[in-house]
Amino acid sequence: MATKLIDRRNFMKSTMAGVGGFLFLASKAKGEEKKQSDGKFVYRTLGKTGLKLPIISMGMIYAGNPNLVRAALDAGIVHLDTAHMYQRGQSEEIIGGVIKGRSRDSYVIGTKVAFSPNKITFLYTEEATEEAFTKMLDGSLKRLGLDYVDILYHQSVGRKESVLFEPILKAMDKAKKDGKTRFVGISTHRNEPEAIQAAIDSKFYEIVLTAYNFKQKHYLQVKEAIAKAAQSGLGVVAMKVMGGVTSQDPLRPINPSAALKWVLQDVNVTTTVPGFSTFEEMKTDLSVMEDLTLTDSEKEYLKTASAAPGLYCQGCGQCEKQCVAKLPIPDLMRAYMYAYGYRNLTLAQETILSLNLPRGVCEDCGQCPVKCLNGWNVAGKIRDVARLRDVPSEFIV
Ligand code: SF4
Ligand code: SF4
């Protein structure tokens, strides 16, 4: 595996071509959407929170350049989406440095706190306590240099039981009462419809941050869950909007405008959090606000790219039932996507380390019985990405 970070779109952009569409959504964005007087920025309202946000926000999963964050805010982006674990806390530190001196009502910060579930039951263990959650939130606030965040997410939930896990609900409720967050939400990138429905039923959460993209085989179920959330007054933020970058294969370049427009044509999505990491990428992402209509070439791209296997794990979970060791395969495939798609080895390594994998993973089964919905050789990918466990973190830039 290459350990050198590369610009994820640099080698893609030259061959950005379209191919014809079938997955594009029927409706044009309307509703609460309105353009600013400069004709460029389009805003939507984040459910009952009342926050008005541009439909393009900034995902901070691998933005390591404070000047880029500064430029994003100066360009009109309002909402920065980070997490306690992103870049081992550096993401929050970068934001903290950039927002210092800026008016508190000029930006909206969302951060997330996560616990790893038991790898067999996928339920939380005794480590997931109210105190531990609060401690992580306090660490995030300190790094951000803030008394409060605008949105606090319970991160990476895919089961109803996790969404409603009482110690975390208590910690989040207390955080809100103590003024450490204005709003609370969940983030989910597997089993999204179940997690979103649980968030609606909780009558507690106000925002859902969900994976949503043209590569999802179950996108209609996600779309339906999003619609229900919006009808219930929850704000909807979309992530993983590029569908797992296919950066291994320069012959199948990503078309970020097409991917973003596909998501934003769903009027129930308030904003998206693309993780641009260069000025050029930012410019491209912002440009979709000028016209959300898919061009013929963008439709063609979506059609072709949606059929390609790519790097996007569907999170369907069918592999976990077949794996003799009950490995958290969707999480491992996400780490693989971080490594090869996002070229973010830090995040891939953090994900791998959080899973407490056994030694010699996938080495004793002989023939792997797992049949993946995407047709992947999951054992090969696991053995590959698990090597990151043994790479000293200082070797990874
Ligand atoms: S080879 Fe790996 S993925 Fe396949 S069954 Fe064994 S432990 Fe599970
Ligand atoms: S079967 Fe394949 S697509 Fe489905 S969760 Fe497992 S790895 Fe992902």
Side-chain angles (χ1 to χ4, degrees), residues 59-366:
M60 292 289 298
I61 196 162
Y62 44 66
N65 179 355
N67 288 330
L68 183 61
V69 185
R70 206 167 279 124
L73 292 175
D74 291 344
I77 281 179
V78 171
H79 171 38
L80 306 177
D81 178 77
T82 185
H84 184 86
M85 71 175 284
Y86 287 175
Q87 299 170 64
R88 300 189 180 95
Q90 280 178 33
S91 167
E92 291 174 329
E93 283 171 7
I94 288 170
I95 292 174
V98 170
I99 59 179
K100 205 176 281 179
R102 289 180 187 248
S103 155
R104 183 62 185 87
D105 60 5
S106 67
Y107 53 82
V108 166
I109 306 292
T111 195
K112 317 181 192 76
V113 173
F115 290 111
S116 296
N118 178 288
K119 70 182 174 64
I120 295 174
T121 63
F122 303 106
L123 297 173
Y124 285 131
T125 65
E126 63 279 2
E127 287 173 15
T129 64
E130 184 182 338
E131 294 72 28
F133 189 98
T134 303
K135 195 172 166 195
M136 281 195 269
L137 169 60
D138 289 345
S140 291
L141 289 171
K142 192 171 174 197
R143 291 194 291 243
L144 289 162
L146 293 173
D147 297 329
Y148 68 91
V149 288
D150 301 279
I151 308 170
L152 171 62
Y153 289 106
H154 176 185
Q155 186 179 9
S156 196
V157 285
R159 287 191 59 166
K160 179 181 168 187
E161 293 86 344
S162 305
V163 175
L164 303 175
F165 190 65
E166 208 170 310
I168 295 182
L169 289 179
K170 277 188 183 168
M172 295 182 90
D173 189 40
K174 186 161 187 321
K176 207 171 166 188
K177 285 178 178 148
D178 289 349
K180 293 180 184 176
T181 186
R182 294 171 68 198
F183 306 109
V184 290
I186 60 154
S187 78
T188 177
H189 39 65
R190 57 175 298 194
N191 216 7
E192 302 92 345
E194 178 180 321
I196 293 170
Q197 186 60 53
I200 297 167
D201 294 342
S202 75
K203 309 251 187 280
F204 173 71
Y205 296 106
E206 298 154 297
I207 298 150
V208 291
L209 169 58
T210 181
Y212 190 32
N213 62 66
F214 69 98
K215 292 285 289 181
Q216 289 173 317
K217 294 189 196 311
H218 62 307
Y219 76 92
L220 283 174
Q221 287 99 304
V222 179
K223 180 177 170 59
E224 196 181 324
I226 284 173
K228 281 191 203 164
Q231 280 156 19
S232 303
L234 275 73
V236 177
V237 182
M239 64 173 168
K240 303 272 186 297
V241 287
M242 302 297 169
V245 181
T246 54
S247 60
Q248 284 186 112
D249 184 354
L251 295 175
R252 292 184 193 278
I254 190 168
N255 184 328
S257 299
L260 277 167
K261 287 180 185 178
W262 184 93
V263 171
L264 285 166
Q265 285 197 344
D266 187 335
V267 293
N268 291 314
V269 173
T270 305
T271 189
T272 53
V273 289
F276 52 82
S277 56
T278 68
F279 294 93
E280 191 178 344
E281 287 174 11
M282 179 178 80
K283 201 171 150 197
T284 302
D285 292 352
L286 289 177
S287 73
V288 304
M289 286 192 275
E290 286 162 13
D291 186 358
L292 289 177
T293 311
L294 285 159
T295 63
D296 286 346
S297 65
E298 287 168 342
K299 289 176 188 174
E300 193 60 28
Y301 164 79
L302 291 171
K303 183 179 175 185
T304 305
S306 65
L311 292 167
Y312 188 75
C313 168
Q314 302 292 327
C316 63
Q318 75 176 39
C319 48
E320 290 166 312
K321 298 183 192 99
Q322 303 164 39
C323 172
V324 295
K326 302 291 177 215
L327 294 176
I329 297 174
D331 291 325
L332 287 157
M333 294 303 103
R334 188 158 47 88
Y336 190 91
M337 179 183 75
Y338 290 150
Y340 285 105
Y342 293 7
R343 302 283 162 167
N344 185 331
L345 296 183
T346 302
L347 188 63
Q349 187 184 53
E350 281 168 0
T351 306
I352 291 294
L353 293 175
S354 75
L355 299 175
N356 298 317
L357 298 173
R359 281 280 139 201
V361 64
C362 292
E363 284 175 1
D364 299 324
C365 292

Side-chain angles (χ1 to χ4, degrees), residues 34-43 75-76 289-290:
K34 75 181 170 74
K35 288 197 174 192
Q36 286 300 92
S37 53
D38 64 3
K40 189 175 179 192
F41 270 70
V42 179
Y43 289 71
M289 286 192 275
E290 286 162 13

